[in-house]
Amino acid sequence: MVKLTQHRQAILDLINASNRHWDADEVARALSDAGQSVGIATVYRGLAALEAAGLLDSIQLADKKRYERADKAHHDHMICTECGHIEEFTHATIEALQLVAAQERGFELSGHQLTMFGRCKSCSQE
Amino acid sequence: MVKLTQHRQAILDLINASNRHWDADEVARALSDAGQSVGIATVYRGLAALEAAGLLDSIQLADKKRYERADKAHHDHMICTECGHIEEFTHATIEALQLVAAQERGFELSGHQLTMFGRCKSCSQE
DNA sequence: ATGATAATGATAATGATTATCATTTCTATC
DNA sequence: GATAGAAATGATAATCATTATCATTATCAT
């Protein structure tokens, strides 16, 4: 299990108190703004450690990784290609079908990432 | 529409003749081995242009982008975290449910990527 | 206290991708 | 066929997220 140092606790608290998807740089900047400066390398290591421990979730985007709270039900993401807005959605049937598809191929599933791209509601109304 | 220059045709032919998922470097190396050297920048530009024209498909992995033929039915990917093997699968119901989920949220869907991670059949038998 | 182990921070290194810019190749038009 | 303008190419520098390095510091069990 992870050692919850002060720095890691600060990272975790920051993300848990929000509903956003943070990249490493944003975390470092926010902590710094809060008077709790943490080196960028430590932020990267902390985020990875917290995710490995199941205390954070992440999505891998084309250019970077973003972290979010792990204390929510599993969900996938819709990303607006215009404004960057990230919307979450859950679909039990899709999840179940994925598992079946994997089993049919003798695949031992350990994770997945479903990301949909398009224009969000407000952007497509403009 | 894209201009199908000699270089781009060579890239397209190479990928169309295979069933693999290529990264830019592999394409450049293969062309070079075939006596048809193409600068790496041109490979990147060519791949992007061919994808924009719908002549190639791609998947975005954590570290890099990989391209494959576009003349196959739409499919998603299962990636073995042990040997790197990429398996393709299609699931009409999952596709349909994604569309519904998007519509429910007023989302104008333009694309998606579903990637599953785990151990492939042969790796999990070891 | 004390030594072992892990964490931290500054910074260098890595690696994929993109930008720059001079040169070359195309293409349409005269 | 010559020619101007547009697009493509290639060598290489630049970018940017992430990881590695390594000296220093904190933590924890004995």
Side-chain angles (χ1 to χ4, degrees):
Chain A
M1 73 224 72
V2 226
K3 202 164 296 183
L4 262 189
T5 64
Q6 282 194 356
H7 286 146
R8 290 178 182 173
Q9 188 67 61
I11 294 172
L12 189 56
D13 289 347
L14 173 71
I15 295 180
N16 274 340
S18 82
N19 218 15
R20 295 183 38 197
H21 301 77
W22 301 76
D23 67 30
D25 206 55
E26 289 168 348
V27 170
R29 199 179 309 275
L31 291 177
S32 167
D33 289 351
Q36 171 87 250
S37 256
V38 176
I40 186 67
T42 301
V43 170
Y44 273 103
R45 281 180 296 227
L47 288 170
L50 291 167
E51 182 182 22
L55 299 175
L56 287 181
D57 276 344
S58 75
I59 35 171
Q60 174 69 53
L61 302 186
D63 51 341
K64 61 177 67 164
K65 206 167 178 180
R66 288 187 171 275
Y67 292 84
E68 63 177 320
R69 289 160 45 202
D71 60 350
K72 299 190 280 191
H74 169 76
H75 58 267
D76 292 299
H77 298 91
M78 283 185 212
I79 302 183
C80 179
T81 49
E82 209 153 312
C83 69
H85 169 65
I86 301 181
E87 196 153 340
E88 303 175 352
F89 73 98
T90 318
H91 208 302
T93 312
I94 291 181
E95 299 287 319
L97 291 176
Q98 283 176 35
L99 200 55
V100 171
Q103 286 172 340
E104 282 173 0
R105 287 163 184 77
F107 219 87
E108 239 175 54
L109 204 57
S110 62
H112 74 264
Q113 183 174 315
L114 169 56
T115 310
M116 294 168 45
F117 301 95
R119 298 173 73 203
C120 72
K121 191 168 190 174
S122 66
C123 280
S124 54
Q125 282 171 347
E126 272 164 21
Chain B
M1 72 227 73
V2 224
K3 203 164 295 182
L4 261 190
T5 64
Q6 282 194 356
H7 287 146
R8 289 177 184 174
Q9 188 68 61
I11 294 171
L12 189 56
D13 289 347
L14 173 71
I15 296 180
N16 273 340
S18 82
N19 219 13
R20 296 183 37 200
H21 300 77
W22 301 76
D23 66 30
D25 206 56
E26 288 167 348
V27 170
R29 199 179 310 274
L31 292 176
S32 167
D33 289 351
Q36 171 87 248
S37 254
V38 175
I40 186 67
T42 301
V43 171
Y44 273 104
R45 281 181 296 227
L47 289 170
L50 291 168
E51 182 181 23
L55 299 175
L56 287 181
D57 275 345
S58 75
I59 35 171
Q60 174 70 52
L61 303 185
D63 52 341
K64 61 177 64 165
K65 205 168 179 179
R66 288 187 171 275
Y67 292 84
E68 63 178 320
R69 290 160 44 202
D71 61 350
K72 299 190 278 191
H74 169 76
H75 57 268
D76 292 299
H77 299 91
M78 283 184 212
I79 302 182
C80 179
T81 49
E82 207 152 312
C83 69
H85 170 65
I86 300 182
E87 197 153 339
E88 302 176 352
F89 73 98
T90 318
H91 208 303
T93 312
I94 291 182
E95 299 288 319
L97 291 176
Q98 283 176 35
L99 200 55
V100 172
Q103 286 173 341
E104 282 173 0
R105 286 163 185 77
F107 218 85
E108 239 174 55
L109 205 56
S110 63
H112 74 265
Q113 182 174 317
L114 169 56
T115 310
M116 293 167 45
F117 300 95
R119 298 172 74 204
C120 72
K121 191 169 190 174
S122 67
C123 279
S124 54
Q125 283 172 345
E126 274 164 18

